[in-house]
Amino acid sequence: MRTPLVLGLETSCDETGVGVARGHTVLLSNVLASQERLHRDFGGVVPEIAARAHLEHLVPVVHRALEDAGVELREIDAVAVTAGPGLAGALVVGVAAAKALAVALEKPVVAVNHLEGHIFSVFLEYPEFSPPAVALIVSGGHTLLIHIEEMGKYRILGATVDDAVGEAFDKVARLLGFGFPGGPLIDRASKEGDPQRLRLPRPMRGEGFDFSMAGLKTAVINALQELHDRGARIRRHDVAAAFQEAAVDVMVEKTVAAAREEAAERVLVCGGVAANSRLRDRMEKVCKAEGIELFVPSPKLCTDNGAMIAAAGAFRLEVDGPSPLDFRADSGLLWPFEALVAPTDC
Ligand code: KG4
Ligand code: ZN
């Protein structure tokens, strides 16, 4: 059988993403309709607004993704869709659309776990990537350190005990008045900030592979209060840089420690926060020094997108076959991860 041409739909949070991939390694198109503008005034993603916007964007985005890929809808071999985890109402829009398309085309539909989608983004840029490897998945809703034992088989090494890393970036950005979404704004502001101006802790440093990002966010609040009480002033760019440096320190140290413990020769960093320029730089330097091969997809593939869902869908289709037509969107989907912590946001 020829390598399937898969259409991937992603609607788990605030990005309507549609991509086309040939198998799990060949990227043909990746189109995104961002809802940033719609949620900005609220300082975060509003689930009802997200679901409605997906409904409006999905059909035109599917058309553009097919056009960019240079393929006709009838040439598609399967429709893959994020089944979870994510915002329930937002997921339902993608799942219903994927099922409708699959039925109309008389082609299989494939349910994909969003986090497995993030992992599969690596193959679209590095087709040569292969397990075993340690992966750090850092997004707005999840922070996970896992060991990829073989294709599609994962063992969880650590997770956040409270907020996800991206969530902490977004909350600290809001606190500092940078706006939404906070991650890219903190990243940019930090380039003009001095991280040494504020001392912040590195929560759970040296304590296994779990993370506490709410602890770091609270430390920022306390430090700002203390400065205020002393009548001292600090530029918000310096606070952003200090926060980012602390978060990056923890991510880098735990990932490298996990790679050492697992004797992993490869490390993958993926998910929205993997777009962070400081994290990318630091990971690169440390992995080079440790003799670890580092894989970090380009920022456009790190943040939510449909192409990664198409890639993961192609893989799942090959190993598990089509999903039953009655599968449901599941905001807390665990499969195929053995013991995921519940999602905090999207
Ligand atoms: O994977 P993603 O696009 O969506 C979820 O699955 O949640 O991740 C979104 C998260 C947001 O919290 C966003 O602020 C963060 O990724 N993010 C960043 C950067 N770009 C996006 N965080 C730090 N630095 C960035 N450059
Ligand atoms: Zn994501």
Side-chain angles (χ1 to χ4, degrees), residues 190-218:
S190 298
K191 293 189 200 308
E192 293 157 34
D194 176 1
Q196 308 294 343
R197 295 289 311 277
L198 189 68
R199 269 176 182 274
L200 290 174
R202 272 54 177 162
M204 300 187 78
R205 178 179 237 169
E207 293 173 35
F209 301 131
D210 284 339
F211 298 78
S212 170
M213 285 296 150
L216 184 54
K217 178 199 65 191
T218 307

Side-chain angles (χ1 to χ4, degrees), residues 210-282:
D210 284 339
F211 298 78
S212 170
M213 285 296 150
L216 184 54
K217 178 199 65 191
T218 307
V220 173
I221 296 172
N222 293 342
L224 289 177
Q225 185 62 48
E226 200 236 339
L227 283 167
H228 180 263
D229 292 348
R230 279 198 282 122
R233 289 178 64 86
I234 183 166
R235 289 171 68 236
R236 61 179 187 154
H237 290 65
D238 295 335
V239 182
F243 162 76
Q244 179 176 274
E245 204 60 21
V248 167
D249 271 351
V250 177
M251 286 187 275
V252 171
E253 283 175 21
K254 287 187 185 271
T255 306
V256 170
R260 273 198 212 122
E261 187 166 298
E262 297 292 332
E265 291 171 5
R266 295 186 193 111
V267 160
L268 160 65
V269 187
C270 58
V273 181
N276 184 268
S277 59
R278 184 71 180 148
L279 177 63
R280 300 170 79 92
D281 283 357
R282 290 275 310 282

